[in-house]
Amino acid sequence: MASAGKKKRISNVTNTQPSNNGAGSSSGTVGDGQVTGFVEGSIIRITMQNFLTYDHSIVYPGPNLNMIVGANGTGKSSIVCAICLGLAGKTAILGRGDKVGLYVKRGCNKGSVEIELHKAKGNLVINREIHVENNQSTWMLNGKHSSQKTVEEEVKALQIQVSNLCQFLPQEKVGEFAKMTKIELLEATEKSVGPPEMYEFHCELKTFRTKERELENVCKEKASALEKFKQRNERNKHDVERYYEKKRHLDNIKMLEKKKPWVEYETARKELEGVKKSREDAKKQLKTVRESQAPMLKKIQHIDSQLRPIENQMKDKTVSIREASQKCKQKQDQLDRKHREIEDIKQAFSLKQTEAADRQKRISNTRRMIDDLRAELANVGDQSDVTPRIDAVNAELRRIQEEKAKMEGEKADMRREKDNLNGECRLLKNRLRSLDDMMKIKEEKLRGRSKDTYAAVQWLRQNKHIFSGNVYEPMMLVISVRNPNHAKYVENHIPFNDLRAFVFQKREDMEKFMMEVRDSQNLRVNSVFAPEESCATRAPSRPIESLKRFGFFAYLRELFDAPEEVMSYLCNQYKVHDVPVGTDQTKAMIKTVIEEPYLKVLYTAEEKYSLKKSFYSGKTSTSNSAVRPSQYLTMAVDAEEKRQLEEQIRTAEKSMQAIDVQMSAMQERTAKLDRRDNELRAQKKGLSEMKGKKRQLEQKISTKQDSLRQMEQGGIDLQKAEEETKAQISAVNSQKVAIVAEFMAHMKLRAKLSMEKVYMALETVGMTAEKTKLETDCREGSAELRVLEQACAMLEQRKARLLEMCKGLMRRAREICNMDPGESAVPPDLHTAFSQLPDTMDEIDAMLNEERSRAECFTGLSENVVDEYNRREQEIKNLEKELDEKSNALKTYRQNISEAKERWLNPLKQLVEQINDKFSDFFRSMQCAGEVDLHSENEEEYDKYGIRIRVKFRSSTQLHELTAHHQSGGERSVSTMLYLMALQELNRCPFRVVDEINQGMDPVNERRVFDIVVRTACKETTSQYFFITPKLLQNLQYADEMTVLCVHNGPHMLPPNKWDEKAFTRRCVRRKGK
């Protein structure tokens, strides 16, 4: 604090509801006590009513640096929340509760925040009253009701931007600053410290550039289309000329086709006149011929009357001759049948002779075979008995069959066992394949979110052997959630940066890994190492059974499986063994649950609750947020199950291999037994044949003897058979004699009838010759008559056809020439055109063929070609006009871009240079290096411009870009703080808020940064600055322009209206004197 001789400004704090557990705040100021030095929009007063930890409190900040100091849980960040929400900021900016009703003090129905802002023409007082029931707010401006939109416009007019991290950096968003992209940082800087029009110029430039690209694309498209149209019309120009040439030939063809019917009509008319004259001459000749043929026709009719009876008699004779011939043929057939009957009798006797000769030969052969069998039987009777040898062979065969049956049973058992093992192996492989598929899905999700981490996983799998301890892939790949419905709790509790982190058993392995993938391969990856002493089995603070009455069913550790080192890290870092998970019952009992001791983080069915207990008042502050749905851990892969499956598959495959070896050995043994069995059966067959041969010989001899007796008894008497044959032949010959006599009688009758018919035929010859001569003469006259009749008929038909043709040609000619039905003269215009054309059909046909041939040469042409050509010519003119308009517009936009770029880029470069000078000076004062520059890959891409911050904290390293991964948390905090301080003197915003940014700094950097903050924020030219911290180092350098706000909280805290600064000072002096 500054010296006591200076006048101090005290913040007046009131509390309308005093209680032992009430919370309040007090502030002490080192300065002149005058409300001077405030810039337009600075905060003069903050009043909080039933807001978070406060019942009622009023805070009066100073115009320069305001250092808000207090222990954790006392309400420092509550002041930050009041500033944000009181100035119409969104709850998402704070990163705490997502509903504004959660910021009302627990147990109250409503709360309010009132902020007074400095304005030259009269201060602006903004009041926001928050209602818990409907999660709504009511607004007042200078005591009058207003809308949120009006409040936002007033705040914007004062250049206040609580959504800009360069101006307002709450505790939960400190890490987000380093994650901002270069483009986001540039926009935030422009809004924060640039002139009001700088960001507008930037947006205008981006809009101009977008429209410029659109116009460039339009111009390119239209120029391309114009060129294509011109090329296409140039290609079609020759086709158009050919089309008109073809049209001229078609017009000639049309005119020739109009004249052709008239020429055809005239030709047909002249031919009709000639046909009429020829018909009259033919009729006269026909009449003369008919009169000369009448006498010859009468004589022919007389001869026909004489010939008709003779021809009838000849027909009767012909029928009688045919009947006699039929009877002769029947008798001839009877004679043929008798000849065949004699031949059959002779053939039957010949067969009996042959059969008798064959029987004698068979008898001789049978006697010879009987003698041979008796000789062989005499030889067989001398050999010994083979029955004992056959019995021995049978015994050995039975033993072999029993052994083979036993081996077949064993082989069947082994085959069944192998089939069972094979089926089990398939099931295990299918399960393993499904686990691998789930792992691939998780890997694809990892690659979609972090390609660098995925690449590092692939490298680790190939190089795992180089590490001495256990190394685990990213946690999201090795964690296996037991129930997919519980994955959301695990995923909400473990940040994604740790879910994609590699876990190492030994620190030296982690350093080796990071040196390779991060430094050598430039991959952005996270890695952690497990505690040396395992925490995986650490017991929870209290057993889960004691919490089940609140709806809790398990601790977070019990919802998933993970390797021991991974579980140890999660228990140590995120206390997963001590975070209970509940149900909707837990949500219903939440007010009772949060009063339970030892609970710091808990989950209900859909929400996460974080509990913080104040060291002073003992009160518990609660924040809650919705549980996000799971994205990565829904697909659970049990690593232990996968290892067991692989081990079971290997065991099953080894067992199947052993069974295959045993079955091969048994197969060889079976083959040996089969060979021995075949040998014994062959031996048994030989012995059996030897034993039964004597009995077979005896049976054969007996059979042959029976057969010989039968053959000797069945003999034929050839002499008797010969006498019977002669008697049968004699009887048949007698029948043949009678048939021959009848045959001869019929032959004589047929000869007599034939002679009579011949005489009749000779008589008709003379009359027929005379008739023939007369008919010949008559036919000659008749032929001439028919010719004349046909000629007349043809001429008549031709006349009718020509007449009809003339009528049709006339109608056709009228139709073609579009004449009226009664009109016969050719119209004058056609008559003129016809006069220039040929007058004969041959010439017209020749000219038509010529014109058609020429027209057919122009193939592939149509009227559409000409229409398309003319239409495209019009489109070319329109495109040329549009291209000129777009080109002029593009030139105008480029001129506007050039002017806007000059208005925006030059001031921006100067602004970045000023920021760089301040930033570099701050880093040099800390024996480090840093720089800020304007970065762009393409000067024309204005939406790609950004501010790049590069820092180094050790002399042995190079400047590295500030990212969320490369620097440590403390280094990021130092860089963020110094960048904000570099903006401080340039800042056009009325105030800046930074909450607990010094927590990750080491003492040396914290002291250096504090000195820079004091020097910079206490200058007269700077705006108001709020610096919130739970603790300060000893022996820091303070300035008179600072305001130190000390926040206290506890059960014995005085009500704000009873606070006496003078009494407090006297007590401090007395304590120092003692």
Side-chain angles (χ1 to χ4, degrees):
M1 298 291 286
S3 63
K6 294 287 183 179
K7 190 175 181 180
K8 300 176 182 177
R9 187 166 66 84
I10 309 300
S11 66
N12 297 323
V13 181
T14 62
N15 192 341
T16 58
Q17 297 177 351
S19 64
N20 290 335
N21 294 328
S25 72
S26 65
S27 65
T29 303
V30 180
D32 57 7
Q34 301 296 324
V35 184
T36 59
F38 285 95
V39 299
E40 190 84 356
S42 297
I43 298 175
I44 295 177
R45 173 176 58 85
I46 305 170
T47 302
M48 294 169 285
Q49 181 78 30
N50 294 331
F51 187 81
L52 291 176
T53 59
Y54 295 100
D55 291 334
H56 178 78
S57 181
I58 304 175
V59 179
Y60 292 95
N64 298 109
L65 175 61
N66 291 274
M67 190 71 66
I68 301 177
V69 185
N72 288 327
T74 57
K76 304 184 303 303
S77 296
S78 299
I79 299 175
V80 177
C81 295
I83 295 173
C84 177
L85 299 180
L87 295 176
K90 307 296 182 184
T91 56
I93 298 172
L94 300 171
R96 301 179 74 171
D98 55 347
K99 298 178 182 178
V100 70
L102 298 174
Y103 292 85
V104 176
K105 186 175 181 180
R106 187 176 301 280
C108 299
N109 295 326
K110 64 180 180 178
S112 65
V113 175
E114 185 172 279
I115 298 178
E116 183 176 356
L117 302 176
H118 176 71
K119 287 186 71 174
K121 296 181 180 180
N123 292 347
L124 179 68
V125 179
I126 301 173
N127 183 282
R128 180 176 189 176
E129 188 174 86
I130 303 170
H131 298 271
V132 177
E133 182 177 359
N134 56 7
N135 202 47
Q136 299 293 324
S137 300
T138 57
W139 298 86
M140 298 184 71
L141 278 176
N142 293 330
K144 297 180 180 180
H145 286 285
S146 180
S147 65
Q148 182 174 348
K149 184 176 181 180
T150 304
V151 174
E152 290 174 350
E153 291 174 354
E154 290 288 342
V155 170
K156 183 178 180 181
L158 292 173
Q159 308 299 330
I160 298 173
Q161 306 166 19
V162 292
S163 61
N164 190 341
L165 295 183
C166 289
Q167 179 178 347
F168 193 89
L169 192 61
Q171 178 181 354
E172 285 76 7
K173 295 291 183 177
V174 171
E176 298 293 328
F177 186 89
K179 296 179 181 179
M180 291 174 66
T181 63
K182 295 187 282 292
I183 298 171
E184 293 171 343
L185 184 59
L186 172 60
E187 292 179 355
T189 303
E190 286 177 330
K191 294 176 183 178
S192 178
V193 300
E197 66 276 3
M198 178 176 285
Y199 181 69
E200 296 176 1
F201 287 159
H202 191 186
C203 295
E204 183 180 345
L205 263 176
K206 289 190 284 187
T207 304
F208 281 162
R209 177 56 183 156
T210 301
K211 292 183 177 179
E212 180 189 18
R213 282 196 294 265
E214 293 175 357
L215 283 173
E216 286 176 349
N217 293 332
V218 170
C219 288
K220 288 179 182 178
E221 291 174 359
K222 292 192 178 296
S224 175
L226 180 61
E227 184 63 25
K228 288 180 180 178
F229 283 171
K230 287 183 177 180
Q231 292 176 359
R232 194 172 299 170
N233 263 16
E234 190 63 29
R235 289 195 301 268
N236 291 344
K237 186 175 182 181
H238 180 63
D239 292 341
V240 173
E241 293 174 353
R242 293 175 68 241
Y243 172 80
Y244 285 118
E245 181 69 16
K246 179 180 180 180
K247 189 174 184 301
R248 185 176 63 80
H249 290 297
L250 293 175
D251 292 340
N252 290 338
I253 292 171
K254 188 175 181 181
M255 192 58 63
L256 285 168
E257 288 177 344
K258 285 183 178 181
K259 183 174 182 180
K260 185 176 180 180
W262 292 101
V263 176
E264 289 177 343
Y265 169 74
E266 187 63 25
T267 303
R269 188 186 63 78
K270 291 179 180 179
E271 186 178 356
L272 177 62
E273 294 298 329
V275 169
K276 287 180 178 179
K277 184 178 179 182
S278 298
R279 187 191 64 166
E280 294 300 328
D281 293 341
K283 283 183 177 180
K284 292 178 181 179
Q285 292 178 3
L286 179 62
K287 184 178 179 182
T288 303
V289 171
R290 283 177 177 172
E291 291 175 353
S292 64
Q293 283 189 345
M296 287 188 293
L297 291 174
K298 290 181 180 180
K299 193 171 183 178
I300 290 171
Q301 291 175 357
H302 177 69
I303 294 172
D304 284 338
S305 64
Q306 292 178 347
L307 283 173
R308 195 172 296 112
I310 297 173
E311 288 177 352
N312 291 335
Q313 292 178 6
M314 288 180 66
K315 289 180 180 179
D316 294 339
K317 298 294 182 182
T318 303
V319 172
S320 298
I321 292 170
R322 188 180 301 113
E323 291 176 355
S325 298
Q326 186 68 26
K327 291 179 179 179
C328 288
K329 186 175 182 303
Q330 291 176 356
K331 295 303 177 180
Q332 182 65 44
D333 292 340
Q334 290 178 2
L335 286 174
D336 292 339
R337 285 196 294 274
K338 294 300 179 181
H339 283 305
R340 287 194 294 274
E341 187 175 350
I342 292 172
E343 292 296 328
D344 291 340
I345 294 171
K346 292 179 178 180
Q347 184 68 27
F349 180 69
S350 177
L351 289 174
K352 289 180 179 180
Q353 290 178 332
T354 304
E355 184 180 353
D358 290 340
R359 185 175 62 82
Q360 291 297 326
K361 287 182 181 179
R362 289 198 302 274
I363 290 172
S364 176
N365 291 334
T366 302
R367 287 174 177 170
R368 188 169 53 255
M369 290 174 63
I370 292 172
D371 294 337
D372 294 338
L373 290 173
R374 286 175 176 172
E376 187 176 357
L377 178 61
N379 295 329
V380 171
D382 299 336
Q383 296 182 3
S384 60
D385 191 6
V386 294
T387 301
R389 293 167 62 188
I390 293 175
D391 294 339
V393 171
N394 287 333
E396 189 171 358
L397 283 172
R398 282 193 298 274
R399 182 186 60 77
I400 291 174
Q401 292 300 324
E402 292 172 357
E403 187 173 354
K404 285 172 65 177
K406 180 180 178 182
M407 292 176 68
E408 286 298 327
E410 293 176 357
K411 287 167 66 176
D413 293 340
M414 283 189 283
R415 277 194 294 270
R416 283 194 296 271
E417 184 178 358
K418 183 179 179 181
D419 292 340
N420 293 336
L421 288 172
N422 198 12
E424 181 182 354
C425 193
R426 280 198 301 272
L427 293 175
L428 293 172
K429 287 181 178 178
N430 289 337
R431 175 58 182 163
L432 182 61
R433 193 178 300 110
S434 65
L435 293 179
D436 290 339
D437 292 341
M438 288 190 288
M439 180 61 76
K440 288 180 181 177
I441 294 173
K442 295 179 73 174
E443 290 175 3
E444 287 300 321
K445 289 185 178 180
L446 175 61
R447 180 161 66 175
R449 181 68 184 270
S450 177
K451 292 183 178 180
D452 288 356
T453 305
Y454 179 81
V457 169
Q458 303 303 317
W459 180 88
L460 176 63
R461 291 176 178 174
Q462 297 176 1
N463 300 276
K464 208 166 185 178
H465 60 279
I466 66 175
F467 301 103
S468 58
N470 292 332
V471 182
Y472 298 98
E473 294 178 0
M475 295 186 198
M476 64 177 289
L477 298 181
V478 299
I479 288 177
S480 177
V481 181
R482 297 174 182 175
N483 186 342
N485 294 329
H486 299 157
K488 58 183 179 180
Y489 305 120
V490 181
E491 200 165 313
N492 276 266
H493 195 73
I494 305 172
F496 180 74
N497 282 340
D498 270 356
L499 282 177
R500 68 184 184 92
F502 294 81
V503 182
F504 294 83
Q505 184 183 20
K506 297 182 178 181
R507 178 187 289 270
E508 54 270 21
D509 286 342
M510 183 182 74
E511 293 175 352
K512 183 188 297 184
F513 175 79
M514 295 301 288
M515 185 180 300
E516 173 63 30
V517 299
R518 185 181 67 183
D519 298 339
S520 300
Q521 301 183 26
N522 199 24
L523 299 178
R524 297 180 178 182
V525 298
N526 290 351
S527 61
V528 298
F529 65 91
E532 293 182 359
E533 183 179 351
S534 177
C535 304
T537 57
R538 183 180 294 175
S541 302
R542 54 195 298 183
I544 191 64
E545 286 74 14
S546 63
L547 298 176
K548 286 187 177 179
R549 56 195 175 93
F550 300 119
F552 293 107
F553 60 88
Y555 283 109
L556 197 61
R557 179 177 61 183
E558 299 169 8
L559 302 183
F560 66 94
D561 297 315
E564 183 178 355
E565 286 81 357
V566 177
M567 186 66 78
S568 176
Y569 172 79
L570 294 177
C571 290
N572 183 64
Q573 185 70 17
Y574 296 106
K575 306 296 185 289
V576 295
H577 66 286
D578 215 15
V579 177
V581 181
T583 58
D584 291 332
Q585 179 187 351
T586 311
K587 173 66 177 176
M589 303 174 64
I590 193 63
K591 291 185 179 180
T592 307
V593 172
I594 61 177
E595 295 176 358
E596 287 292 310
Y598 306 112
L599 292 181
K600 296 181 179 179
V601 180
L602 61 92
Y603 286 89
T604 65
E606 299 296 337
E607 289 184 326
K608 173 184 178 181
Y609 285 84
S610 299
L611 311 176
K612 292 183 180 179
K613 190 173 183 180
S614 173
F615 293 105
Y616 302 97
S617 65
K619 282 194 171 184
T620 301
S621 61
T622 307
S623 64
N624 69 316
S625 59
V627 176
R628 301 183 305 276
S630 174
Q631 300 182 32
Y632 309 106
L633 300 181
T634 307
M635 303 293 292
V637 179
D638 191 341
E640 180 61 24
E641 181 186 0
K642 183 178 179 182
R643 186 192 62 76
Q644 291 178 359
L645 286 173
E646 291 173 346
E647 182 63 30
Q648 290 174 1
I649 290 171
R650 285 193 295 269
T651 303
E653 288 176 347
K654 288 181 180 179
S655 300
M656 286 192 291
Q657 291 175 359
I659 290 173
D660 289 338
V661 172
Q662 293 177 7
M663 290 185 69
S664 298
M666 294 183 69
Q667 192 68 28
E668 293 179 1
R669 175 61 180 163
T670 302
K672 291 180 180 179
L673 291 175
D674 288 338
R675 288 194 296 271
R676 179 58 181 164
D677 183 270
N678 292 335
E679 292 174 359
L680 291 173
R681 289 184 183 277
Q683 185 179 354
K684 178 182 177 182
K685 182 179 179 182
L687 293 173
S688 299
E689 289 176 352
M690 187 181 297
K691 179 179 180 180
K693 193 171 184 180
K694 182 177 180 181
R695 184 168 57 255
Q696 292 175 359
L697 289 173
E698 291 175 349
Q699 292 176 355
K700 286 181 180 181
I701 291 171
S702 176
T703 302
K704 293 297 182 182
Q705 288 176 345
D706 293 340
S707 177
L708 179 61
R709 282 193 295 271
Q710 291 175 1
M711 285 187 290
E712 289 176 347
Q713 292 174 0
I716 299 174
D717 189 355
L718 288 178
Q719 185 177 359
K720 184 178 180 182
E722 184 178 0
E723 292 176 356
E724 291 176 355
T725 299
K726 289 179 179 180
Q728 291 174 357
I729 291 173
S730 177
V732 172
N733 285 331
S734 299
Q735 295 172 3
K736 284 174 66 179
V737 171
I739 292 171
V740 168
E742 293 176 359
F743 175 73
M744 292 304 294
H746 291 307
M747 286 293 292
K748 290 177 180 179
L749 177 60
R750 187 180 68 175
K752 179 182 177 183
L753 293 172
S754 297
M755 290 300 294
E756 292 174 354
K757 182 179 178 182
V758 169
Y759 293 145
M760 290 179 182
L762 291 174
E763 185 178 356
T764 59
V765 168
M767 289 186 290
T768 303
E770 184 179 0
K771 180 184 175 183
T772 301
K773 182 177 183 302
L774 290 172
E775 286 179 347
T776 300
D777 295 339
C778 189
R779 274 198 299 273
E780 290 176 357
S782 297
E784 185 178 358
L785 181 63
R786 282 194 299 273
V787 169
L788 289 173
E789 288 175 349
Q790 291 175 358
C792 289
M794 290 176 63
L795 288 172
E796 188 67 29
Q797 293 175 0
R798 188 176 178 191
K799 173 194 170 186
R801 284 199 306 271
L802 287 172
L803 182 61
E804 191 65 30
M805 182 187 298
C806 288
K807 292 179 181 179
L809 290 173
M810 176 59 74
R811 285 195 303 271
R812 182 164 171 265
R814 287 172 183 160
E815 290 173 358
I816 291 177
C817 297
N818 297 320
M819 294 169 59
D820 295 333
E823 192 177 358
S824 60
V826 179
D829 54 342
L830 289 178
H831 189 273
T832 302
F834 287 170
S835 64
Q836 298 176 1
L837 298 175
D839 295 326
T840 64
M841 285 299 299
D842 293 338
E843 292 175 344
I844 287 175
D845 288 338
M847 189 171 182
L848 268 174
N849 291 333
E850 182 181 355
E851 291 296 329
R852 285 170 179 165
S853 299
R854 291 182 178 180
E856 288 173 357
C857 292
F858 299 94
T859 59
L861 300 178
S862 66
E863 191 173 355
N864 293 334
V865 176
V866 180
D867 294 341
E868 186 178 355
Y869 179 85
N870 295 330
R871 178 180 56 77
R872 200 177 292 119
E873 280 292 327
Q874 185 62 38
E875 289 180 355
I876 288 173
K877 294 178 182 178
N878 296 337
L879 278 174
E880 288 176 343
K881 182 179 178 181
E882 292 177 4
L883 184 59
D884 290 339
E885 293 175 355
K886 296 298 181 182
S887 299
N888 293 334
L890 181 59
K891 291 178 183 177
T892 303
Y893 266 106
R894 286 175 175 167
Q895 182 64 28
N896 293 338
I897 289 173
S898 178
E899 295 173 359
K901 181 179 179 181
E902 187 174 349
R903 293 195 303 268
W904 170 72
L905 189 57
N906 293 335
L908 177 61
K909 288 181 177 178
Q910 295 175 3
L911 178 65
V912 174
E913 288 177 1
Q914 294 175 1
I915 296 172
N916 180 50
D917 293 340
K918 295 290 183 183
F919 189 75
S920 301
D921 290 342
F922 291 154
F923 262 85
R924 277 195 296 272
S925 67
M926 296 176 61
Q927 287 80 45
C928 299
E931 66 176 32
V932 178
D933 62 358
L934 185 63
H935 180 267
S936 66
E937 298 177 356
N938 184 351
E939 290 188 359
E940 302 301 325
E941 299 296 333
Y942 304 106
D943 54 347
K944 298 295 191 297
Y945 274 78
I947 286 182
R948 179 174 61 181
I949 301 176
R950 298 194 298 164
V951 296
K952 72 170 184 175
F953 291 87
R954 288 169 290 279
S955 59
S956 60
T957 61
Q958 300 293 325
L959 285 170
H960 287 285
E961 186 175 344
L962 179 64
T963 65
H965 309 287
H966 195 278
Q967 289 80 15
S968 66
E971 292 171 348
R972 290 197 298 271
S973 298
V974 171
S975 303
T976 302
M977 192 66 189
L978 294 184
Y979 183 78
L980 296 179
M981 296 313 303
L983 302 181
Q984 180 66 17
E985 294 185 15
L986 304 172
N987 200 3
R988 62 182 177 87
C989 61
F991 64 86
R992 177 175 284 110
V993 177
V994 179
D995 189 2
E996 295 192 18
I997 197 172
N998 60 331
Q999 291 306 294
M1001 301 181 192
D1002 59 80
V1004 175
N1005 284 336
E1006 185 176 356
R1007 186 177 298 277
R1008 292 173 178 173
V1009 170
F1010 184 84
D1011 292 341
I1012 293 172
V1013 171
V1014 172
R1015 290 198 312 269
T1016 305
C1018 291
K1019 292 181 180 179
E1020 294 181 359
T1021 58
T1022 60
S1023 58
Q1024 196 175 36
Y1025 201 97
F1026 290 87
F1027 188 88
I1028 294 90
T1029 179
K1031 49 89 179 175
L1032 288 172
L1033 299 174
Q1034 296 181 355
N1035 300 322
L1036 295 174
Q1037 296 296 322
Y1038 297 90
D1040 294 341
E1041 293 78 12
M1042 291 174 57
T1043 298
V1044 180
L1045 301 171
C1046 298
V1047 183
H1048 303 283
N1049 197 341
H1052 306 294
M1053 183 71 187
L1054 282 174
N1057 56 355
K1058 294 183 179 180
W1059 171 258
D1060 188 345
E1061 185 182 5
K1062 292 181 180 180
F1064 175 76
T1065 304
R1066 286 195 299 271
R1067 285 196 298 273
C1068 289
V1069 171
R1070 285 197 300 271
R1071 190 178 296 112
K1072 289 182 179 179
K1074 293 179 181 179

